[in-house]
């Protein structure tokens, strides 16, 4: 299950490298007034002896806020034409999500802060003896965020395989976008730092000239599926993974660049893709999508969801969630997103569930049951129950759950849930559930 609204593009800008450096690449020390302080020979020799830094080293790294943050060295590579110690390092900021992992130059690292590299198994064993059960649970929860379905061995394998971003940037339409995560593109693309996507058929190429030649031949001006919704400049296309296999696979490759925990579905035949577009006189430009299993035993009405970075914080993620529930209503079924939800995905869904449920509770006179709320909204009963429990709006009395809907409390929670985003105009939805199609 993918994330919805993610950090702004500014948060993904590259870190400015430091200009004040000494000969070995370490950060130049300064006094309290910011004036440079000369290092003695012993200090320089000690720092030089650390280089190149080993994978697993923990050190402080200067980030885009011009402050130092703890990082762990995930990988290193030699700089072309450099000396024996001339490396750049791929680091994980231990305070932040993996989406901010990146390659940094040596001069961004504070070598005075280097910690001795400890074997991780020994470190974990020693640390676990010192932690309370509650502390250990909190660390475990953070460690497997978005991967609750994986056992420890599978999680280690996933993290090892995806630890370094293979594609740094992509070009899609009029946007150049920095990527956030590894995506398993075919081996022939292993040496590519940047990929060029056709924004309509999603074929990807290594060079700009290839894209330009392709665009002269490509006759698509929208996703290769049925338009099921058009309202103003917004359009939604339903793409059948079986009928448009290459498009579905390319969409999965693209989405994986921005979703850490997404499973890459090579067998896209089983899925429908709902691609949201902004339309103008040049065509229909993809802004995001969600996928959905054609037949789900678990009542999943959404498998994966993504709003592309240039279009985030405009309400599109909320629109996609609302759209998935409108399809469930058309099917006459309750729905729920596939688990596990990412951290940001869970926040978006809780916001949606809160707004929908509390709007009904505000207007409703008299008693209403969880089942009635579920029938009205197509939200699964379990999601309604957990949402109301999180908001402390439900109590268990005499063997049954009772909703406590004080108007002032509802207003407070609604305000905290934020705006609902773009509205889905159901009258503009022209759609037949998959089971009825031949």
């Amino acid at each position: 299950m993918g994330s919805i609204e993610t950090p702004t593009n500014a948060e993904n800008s590259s870190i400015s490298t430091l200009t004040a450096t000494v000969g070995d690449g370490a950060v130049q020390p300064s006094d309290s007034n910011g004036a440079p302080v000369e290092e003695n020979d012993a200090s320089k020799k000690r720092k030089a002896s650390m280089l190149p830094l080993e994978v697993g080293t923990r050190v402080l790294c200067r980030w885009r806020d011009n402050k130092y943050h703890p990082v762990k060295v995930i990988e290193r590579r030699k700089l072309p034409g450099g000396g024996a110690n001339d490396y750049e390092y791929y680091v994980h900021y231990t305070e932040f999500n993996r989406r901010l992992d990146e390659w940094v130059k040596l001069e961004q690292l504070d070598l005075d802060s280097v910690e001795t590299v400890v074997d991780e198994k020994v470190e974990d064993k020693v640390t676990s003896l010192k932690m309370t059960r509650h502390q250990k649970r909190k660390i475990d929860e953070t460690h497997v965020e978005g991967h609750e379905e994986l056992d420890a061995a599978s999680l280690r394998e996933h993290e090892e395989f995806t630890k370094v971003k293979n594609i740094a940037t992509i070009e899609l339409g009029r946007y150049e976008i920095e990527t956030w995560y590894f995506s398993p593109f075919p081996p022939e693309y292993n040496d590519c730092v940047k990929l060029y996507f056709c924004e309509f058929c999603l074929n990807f190429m290594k060079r700009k000239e290839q894209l330009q030649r392709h665009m002269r031949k490509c006759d698509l001006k929208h996703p290769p599926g049925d338009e099921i919704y058009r309202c103003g400049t917004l359009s939604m296309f339903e793409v059948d993974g079986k009928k448009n296999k290459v498009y579905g696979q390319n969409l999965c490759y693209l989405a994986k660049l921005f979703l850490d925990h997404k499973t890459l579905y090579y067998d896209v035949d089983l899925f429908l893709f709902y691609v949201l577009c902004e339309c103008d006189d040049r065509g229909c430009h993809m802004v995001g999508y969600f996928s959905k299993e054609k037949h789900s035993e678990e009542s999943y009405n959404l498998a994966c969801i993504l709003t592309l970075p240039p279009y985030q914080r405009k309400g599109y993620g909320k629109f996609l969630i609302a759209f998935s529930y409108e399809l469930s209503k058309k099917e006459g079924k309750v729905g729920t997103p596939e688990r596990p939800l990412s951290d940001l995905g869970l926040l978006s869904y809780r916001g949606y569930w809160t707004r929908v449920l509390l709007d009904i509770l505000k207007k409703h006179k008299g008693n209403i049951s969880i089942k009635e709320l579920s029938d009205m909204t197509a939200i699964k009963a379990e999601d309604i129950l957990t949402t109301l429990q999180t908001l402390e709006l439900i109590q268990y009395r005499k063997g049954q759950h009772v909703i406590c809907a004080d108007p002032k409390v509802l207003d407070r929670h609604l305000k905290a849930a934020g705006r609902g985003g773009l509205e889905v105009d159901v009258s503009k939805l022209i759609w037949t559930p998959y089971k009825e199609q031949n």
Side-chain angles (χ1 to χ4, degrees), residues 399-435:
Q400 62 181 3
H401 291 101
V402 179
I403 298 169
C404 309
D406 181 292
K408 290 182 181 177
V409 176
L410 296 183
D411 285 336
R412 189 173 74 243
H413 285 310
L414 274 170
K415 188 176 180 182
R419 293 180 293 108
L422 303 167
E423 294 286 328
V424 179
D425 184 345
V426 186
S427 69
K428 305 289 175 63
L429 174 60
I430 302 169
W431 182 73
T432 305
Y434 180 79
K435 65 182 179 180

Coordinates of all heavy atoms in Angstrom, one line a residue, residues 399-435:
G399 N -22.1 -4.7 26.8 CA -21.9 -5.7 25.7 C -21.9 -5.2 24.3 O -21.9 -5.9 23.3
Q400 N -22.0 -3.8 24.1 CA -22.0 -3.3 22.8 C -21.3 -1.9 22.7 O -21.2 -1.2 23.7 CB -23.5 -3.1 22.3 CG -24.3 -2.2 23.1 CD -25.8 -2.1 22.5 OE1 -26.1 -2.8 21.6 NE2 -26.6 -1.3 23.1
H401 N -20.9 -1.6 21.5 CA -20.2 -0.3 21.3 C -21.2 0.8 21.1 O -22.2 0.7 20.4 CB -19.3 -0.4 20.0 CG -18.1 -1.2 20.2 ND1 -18.1 -2.5 19.7 CD2 -17.0 -1.1 20.9 CE1 -16.9 -3.1 20.0 NE2 -16.2 -2.2 20.7
V402 N -21.0 1.9 21.8 CA -21.9 3.1 21.8 C -21.1 4.3 21.3 O -20.0 4.6 21.9 CB -22.5 3.4 23.2 CG1 -23.4 4.6 23.1 CG2 -23.3 2.1 23.7
I403 N -21.6 5.0 20.3 CA -20.9 6.2 19.8 C -21.4 7.4 20.6 O -22.5 7.6 20.8 CB -21.3 6.4 18.3 CG1 -20.9 5.2 17.4 CG2 -20.7 7.7 17.7 CD1 -21.4 5.2 16.0
C404 N -20.4 8.1 21.1 CA -20.6 9.3 21.8 C -20.3 10.5 21.0 O -19.1 10.8 20.7 CB -19.7 9.4 23.1 SG -19.9 7.8 24.0
A405 N -21.3 11.2 20.5 CA -21.1 12.3 19.5 C -21.5 13.6 20.0 O -22.5 14.2 19.6 CB -21.9 11.9 18.2
D406 N -20.6 14.2 20.9 CA -20.8 15.6 21.3 C -20.5 16.5 20.2 O -19.4 16.5 19.7 CB -19.9 15.8 22.6 CG -20.1 17.2 23.1 OD1 -19.7 18.2 22.4 OD2 -20.6 17.4 24.2
P407 N -21.4 17.4 19.8 CA -21.1 18.3 18.7 C -19.8 19.1 18.8 O -19.1 19.3 17.8 CB -22.3 19.3 18.7 CG -23.4 18.5 19.3 CD -22.7 17.7 20.4
K408 N -19.5 19.6 19.9 CA -18.2 20.4 20.1 C -17.0 19.5 19.9 O -16.0 19.9 19.3 CB -18.2 21.0 21.5 CG -19.2 22.1 21.7 CD -19.1 22.7 23.1 CE -20.1 23.9 23.3 NZ -20.1 24.4 24.6
V409 N -17.1 18.3 20.4 CA -16.0 17.3 20.2 C -15.8 17.0 18.7 O -14.7 16.9 18.2 CB -16.2 16.1 21.0 CG1 -15.1 15.0 20.8 CG2 -16.3 16.4 22.5
L410 N -17.0 16.8 18.0 CA -16.9 16.4 16.6 C -16.3 17.6 15.8 O -15.5 17.3 14.9 CB -18.3 16.2 16.1 CG -19.1 15.0 16.6 CD1 -20.4 14.9 15.9 CD2 -18.3 13.7 16.5
D411 N -16.7 18.8 16.1 CA -16.1 20.0 15.4 C -14.6 20.1 15.6 O -13.8 20.4 14.7 CB -16.8 21.3 15.9 CG -18.2 21.4 15.4 OD1 -18.5 20.8 14.3 OD2 -19.0 22.1 16.0
R412 N -14.1 19.8 16.8 CA -12.7 19.8 17.1 C -11.9 18.8 16.3 O -10.9 19.1 15.7 CB -12.5 19.6 18.6 CG -11.0 19.9 19.1 CD -10.8 19.8 20.6 NE -10.9 18.5 21.1 CZ -11.8 18.0 21.9 NH1 -12.8 18.8 22.3 NH2 -11.8 16.8 22.3
H413 N -12.5 17.6 16.3 CA -11.8 16.5 15.5 C -11.8 16.8 14.0 O -10.9 16.5 13.3 CB -12.5 15.2 15.8 CG -12.1 14.6 17.1 ND1 -10.8 14.4 17.5 CD2 -12.9 14.0 18.1 CE1 -10.8 13.9 18.7 NE2 -12.1 13.6 19.1
L414 N -13.0 17.4 13.5 CA -13.1 17.7 12.1 C -12.0 18.8 11.7 O -11.4 18.7 10.6 CB -14.5 18.2 11.7 CG -15.5 17.1 11.4 CD1 -16.9 17.7 11.3 CD2 -15.2 16.4 10.1
K415 N -11.8 19.7 12.6 CA -10.9 20.8 12.3 C -9.5 20.2 12.3 O -8.7 20.5 11.4 CB -11.0 21.9 13.4 CG -10.1 23.1 13.1 CD -10.3 24.2 14.2 CE -9.5 25.4 13.9 NZ -9.6 26.4 14.9
A416 N -9.2 19.3 13.2 CA -7.9 18.6 13.2 C -7.6 17.8 12.0 O -6.5 17.6 11.5 CB -7.7 17.8 14.5
A417 N -8.7 17.2 11.4 CA -8.6 16.3 10.2 C -8.2 17.1 9.0 O -7.8 16.5 8.0 CB -9.8 15.5 10.0
G418 N -8.4 18.4 8.9 CA -8.0 19.2 7.8 C -9.1 19.1 6.7 O -10.1 18.5 6.8
R419 N -8.7 19.8 5.6 CA -9.7 19.9 4.5 C -9.8 18.6 3.7 O -8.9 17.7 3.7 CB -9.1 21.0 3.5 CG -9.2 22.4 4.0 CD -8.7 23.4 3.0 NE -7.2 23.2 2.7 CZ -6.7 22.7 1.6 NH1 -7.6 22.3 0.6 NH2 -5.5 22.6 1.4
G420 N -10.9 18.4 3.1 CA -11.3 17.2 2.4 C -10.7 17.0 1.0 O -10.8 16.0 0.4
G421 N -10.1 18.1 0.5 CA -9.5 18.0 -0.8 C -10.5 18.1 -1.9 O -11.6 18.6 -1.7
L422 N -10.2 17.6 -3.1 CA -11.1 17.8 -4.2 C -12.3 16.8 -4.1 O -12.1 15.7 -3.7 CB -10.3 17.5 -5.5 CG -9.1 18.3 -5.8 CD1 -8.2 17.7 -6.9 CD2 -9.5 19.7 -6.1
E423 N -13.4 17.3 -4.5 CA -14.6 16.5 -4.4 C -14.8 15.6 -5.6 O -14.4 16.0 -6.7 CB -15.9 17.4 -4.3 CG -15.9 18.2 -3.0 CD -16.3 17.4 -1.8 OE1 -17.1 16.4 -2.0 OE2 -15.8 17.7 -0.7
V424 N -15.3 14.4 -5.4 CA -15.7 13.5 -6.5 C -17.1 13.8 -6.9 O -18.0 13.6 -6.1 CB -15.5 12.0 -6.2 CG1 -15.9 11.2 -7.4 CG2 -14.1 11.8 -5.7
D425 N -17.4 14.3 -8.1 CA -18.7 14.5 -8.6 C -19.2 13.2 -9.2 O -18.9 12.8 -10.3 CB -18.7 15.6 -9.7 CG -20.1 16.0 -10.1 OD1 -21.1 15.2 -9.8 OD2 -20.3 17.0 -10.8
V426 N -20.0 12.5 -8.3 CA -20.4 11.1 -8.7 C -21.3 11.1 -10.0 O -21.3 10.1 -10.7 CB -21.3 10.5 -7.5 CG1 -21.6 9.0 -7.9 CG2 -20.5 10.6 -6.2
S427 N -21.9 12.2 -10.3 CA -22.8 12.3 -11.5 C -21.9 12.2 -12.8 O -22.4 11.9 -13.8 CB -23.6 13.6 -11.5 OG -22.8 14.7 -11.7
K428 N -20.6 12.5 -12.6 CA -19.7 12.4 -13.8 C -19.0 11.1 -13.9 O -18.2 10.9 -14.8 CB -18.6 13.5 -13.7 CG -19.2 14.9 -13.5 CD -19.8 15.4 -14.7 CE -20.5 16.8 -14.5 NZ -19.6 17.9 -14.2
L429 N -19.3 10.1 -13.0 CA -18.6 8.8 -13.0 C -19.5 7.9 -13.9 O -20.6 7.6 -13.6 CB -18.5 8.3 -11.6 CG -18.0 6.8 -11.4 CD1 -16.6 6.7 -12.0 CD2 -18.0 6.4 -9.9
I430 N -18.9 7.4 -15.0 CA -19.5 6.4 -15.8 C -18.7 5.1 -15.8 O -17.6 5.1 -16.4 CB -19.6 7.0 -17.3 CG1 -20.4 8.3 -17.3 CG2 -20.3 6.0 -18.2 CD1 -20.3 9.0 -18.6
W431 N -19.2 4.2 -15.1 CA -18.3 3.0 -14.8 C -19.2 1.7 -14.5 O -20.2 1.8 -13.8 CB -17.5 3.3 -13.5 CG -16.5 2.2 -13.1 CD1 -15.4 1.8 -13.8 CD2 -16.6 1.4 -12.0 NE1 -14.8 0.8 -13.1 CE2 -15.5 0.5 -12.0 CE3 -17.6 1.3 -10.9 CZ2 -15.3 -0.5 -11.0 CZ3 -17.4 0.3 -10.0 CH2 -16.3 -0.5 -10.0
T432 N -18.7 0.6 -15.0 CA -19.3 -0.7 -14.8 C -18.4 -1.5 -14.0 O -17.2 -1.7 -14.4 CB -19.7 -1.4 -16.1 OG1 -20.5 -0.5 -16.9 CG2 -20.4 -2.6 -15.8
P433 N -18.7 -2.1 -12.8 CA -17.8 -3.0 -12.1 C -17.3 -4.1 -13.0 O -18.0 -4.6 -13.9 CB -18.7 -3.5 -11.0 CG -19.8 -2.5 -10.8 CD -20.0 -1.9 -12.1
Y434 N -16.1 -4.5 -12.7 CA -15.3 -5.4 -13.5 C -16.1 -6.8 -13.8 O -16.1 -7.3 -14.9 CB -14.0 -5.7 -13.0 CG -13.2 -6.7 -13.8 CD1 -12.5 -6.3 -15.0 CD2 -13.1 -8.1 -13.5 CE1 -11.8 -7.1 -15.8 CE2 -12.4 -8.9 -14.3 CZ -11.8 -8.5 -15.4 OH -11.1 -9.4 -16.2
K435 N -16.7 -7.3 -12.7 CA -17.4 -8.6 -12.8 C -18.5 -8.6 -13.9 O -18.9 -9.7 -14.4 CB -18.0 -9.0 -11.4 CG -19.1 -8.1 -11.0 CD -19.6 -8.5 -9.6 CE -20.7 -7.5 -9.2 NZ -21.2 -7.8 -7.8

